[in-house]
Amino acid sequence: MLEPDFVLLRQRPDDHGQPEGSLVRGITCGSMERGPKARGPGRRGAIRALLCLLLCLLGSGHALAAPVEFTDMAGRQVRLTDTPKRIALGDGRLLTAFALVTPEPVARVIASTDNLKRYDPMTYDAYLAKFPALADVTDLGPPSADLSAEGLLSVAPDLVLLPLWLHSDRNSEETLTAAGVPVAYVDFFSDPVAGLPGALRVIGAVLERRKQAEAYLAFVERHMEVIRQRLADAGPKRPKVFLHARSAEWDCCWSATGKVGEIIAFAGGENIASGMMGGQTGQLSLEFVLGADPDVYIAAASSGASRPGDFPIGEGVAAADVQAAMKAIRSEPALGTLTAVTKGNGHALWLFFFQSPTYVIAIEAMAKWFHPELFADIDPARTLAEINATYLAVPMTGTFFADMEPAARP
């Protein structure tokens, strides 16, 4: 008599976000006749036994592991034998990019550099509040050329994600690769606009969330195309713009150029720092800024104001605190005399937009500041709300951009 045994299989989650589930297959694994007259399994029995073996291997996850293949930001072809489960981040801010494509951004992260916690503590605290397991992620210290390959190996990662600027110093990559640990390069700072698709596709690949990554990229491109096309059609005069990176630790006047500064150009402005410094960021003299007398002034800073002189903006910051800081700029003996400030064309912007896949919010805000009539219908607050509702696992809550309130009339 035949007695069918049911085999329970585990279905692994796929790239489209389908959850892990169970599949039951009625395969008669123990289906040979029993008793004194029982014969050998024969041809059919042998085939049945082979099928049972294959199904059991599939169910236990020991066979047919799907390889993961992608091209990283350094142009390297990366092939992983299976989906990574223990990822080490050479740039802690990548966690916020993970949150755009997966509802569990912390689940596979076992180690991270400390730059998210150190420089954007309020965002870190928001993630910690929703995902307490973040407290158990190993702290790798600051992201630098001194990032220890030995420290990375000690946490036994199956993938290490490094910022692109570390590609020039490949000591960590070579040590990790020699130890059998795959490395991929990804960041959102080296080229925020053009680099976004490649960077987010790497993350979509390693997290098995390619479909979600493509959905977000399509969303960004729809918004970017509106800015791009209107500027091309109208050809407006570009206002001179000074993006002022403010911090209590820095003297005046730090700004951005290169690929980071191109965000200003994309939004329809003329960056006064363009061509004035060698790297992505650098310091302009106060005399140069006063002489350029920009049409638009933008105070850019990170969240919080933990030290006297810090400019508060970002996660968890109230709009009133941002306005109070902007009002104080009017009283500064030098910057307060800029035409942009005296005429009320001063603004504030979250500095970390320039290394985040959410930079489209900054571009929309700047486009309105530079060309208010041309982009009267653009609403960066609505774009932020849509990103929060549709994509981010941890919504951005706080003040991320603001306009300087007009000075009170005497």
Side-chain angles (χ1 to χ4, degrees):
M1 181 177 180
L2 300 181
E3 297 179 0
D5 294 329
F6 286 89
V7 177
L8 178 66
L9 304 183
R10 300 299 299 172
Q11 175 180 302
R12 297 177 59 194
D14 64 18
D15 285 351
H16 306 292
Q18 295 298 320
E20 184 178 30
S22 300
L23 298 176
V24 177
R25 295 291 183 263
I27 303 295
T28 55
C29 293
S31 58
M32 293 185 292
E33 296 183 20
R34 299 172 183 172
K37 296 183 178 181
R39 300 178 180 177
R43 180 181 178 86
R44 292 183 61 187
I47 293 174
R48 182 179 294 118
L50 179 60
L51 287 173
C52 287
L53 175 63
L54 290 173
L55 289 170
C56 288
L57 287 172
L58 283 168
S60 62
H62 293 303
L64 301 184
V68 179
E69 299 181 358
F70 57 89
T71 303
D72 73 2
M73 296 289 287
R76 300 162 60 253
Q77 298 299 312
V78 180
R79 188 179 192 276
L80 310 177
T81 57
D82 197 1
T83 304
K85 303 296 191 299
R86 296 178 57 81
I87 302 174
L89 304 181
D91 178 357
R93 291 204 57 81
L94 288 178
L95 186 66
T96 63
F98 279 27
L100 280 167
V101 299
T102 175
E104 297 289 339
V106 180
R108 303 186 190 190
V109 178
I110 50 97
S112 174
T113 55
D114 68 357
N115 50 324
L116 177 62
K117 183 193 302 186
R118 181 188 297 264
Y119 299 113
D120 194 3
M122 299 181 80
T123 294
Y124 176 86
D125 288 346
Y127 277 71
L128 181 62
K130 186 164 184 179
F131 300 104
L134 184 58
D136 299 324
V137 171
T138 299
D139 189 339
L140 297 172
S144 69
D146 297 325
L147 187 62
S148 169
E150 290 73 19
L152 287 165
L153 289 173
S154 70
V155 297
D158 53 14
L159 176 66
V160 176
L161 297 179
L162 295 177
L164 189 57
W165 59 268
L166 276 179
H167 186 244
S168 59
D169 180 3
R170 303 178 64 179
N171 290 334
S172 294
E173 176 192 337
E174 292 170 356
T175 302
L176 291 166
T177 301
V181 177
V183 171
Y185 291 93
V186 57
D187 72 45
F188 295 90
F189 179 72
S190 299
D191 192 349
V193 177
L196 172 61
L200 202 64
R201 283 173 180 142
V202 169
I203 290 173
V206 302
L207 296 180
E208 292 186 301
R209 306 287 287 184
R210 296 178 191 263
K211 181 179 178 180
Q212 287 76 11
E214 293 300 330
Y216 182 74
L217 290 173
F219 168 84
V220 171
E221 179 55 27
R222 287 194 300 272
H223 285 253
M224 296 283 280
E225 181 59 21
V226 172
I227 307 295
R228 184 187 296 115
Q229 194 59 54
R230 287 192 192 177
L231 288 172
D233 292 344
K237 180 181 178 181
R238 292 174 176 263
K240 294 184 297 180
V241 180
F242 174 39
L243 178 74
H244 183 194
R246 299 181 66 102
S247 169
E249 296 181 341
W250 303 337
D251 294 329
C252 192
C253 304
W254 285 81
S255 191
T257 184
K259 294 296 183 180
V260 175
E262 285 180 7
I263 290 182
I264 294 172
F266 191 100
E270 178 187 333
N271 183 13
I272 67 167
S274 180
M276 299 301 297
M277 52 193 73
Q280 297 277 52
T281 62
Q283 188 174 16
L284 301 172
S285 70
L286 179 58
E287 291 74 19
F288 172 81
V289 173
L290 294 176
D293 197 20
D295 303 302
V296 181
Y297 172 85
I298 303 173
S302 59
S303 62
S306 56
R307 298 156 300 195
D310 274 347
F311 191 99
I313 191 168
E315 182 68 32
V317 177
D321 293 336
V322 179
Q323 285 298 332
M326 295 181 74
K327 183 178 180 180
I329 294 173
R330 295 182 184 275
S331 303
E332 293 183 5
L335 295 179
T337 67
L338 292 175
T339 299
V341 176
T342 59
K343 290 188 175 182
N345 204 7
H347 310 275
L349 191 66
W350 187 49
L351 188 62
F352 289 131
F353 275 132
F354 294 93
Q355 48 186 298
S356 166
T358 59
Y359 69 78
V360 62
I361 299 167
I363 286 182
E364 288 191 340
M366 287 191 288
K368 286 183 73 74
W369 298 337
F370 304 163
H371 307 285
E373 294 183 0
L374 186 61
F375 296 107
D377 61 323
I378 298 296
D379 186 355
R382 183 173 61 230
T383 301
L384 172 58
E386 188 171 354
I387 290 173
N388 280 339
T390 308
Y391 301 103
L392 274 175
V394 182
M396 297 167 61
T397 57
T399 306
F400 298 89
F401 52 89
D403 303 331
M404 183 179 287
E405 293 179 348
R409 295 183 178 181

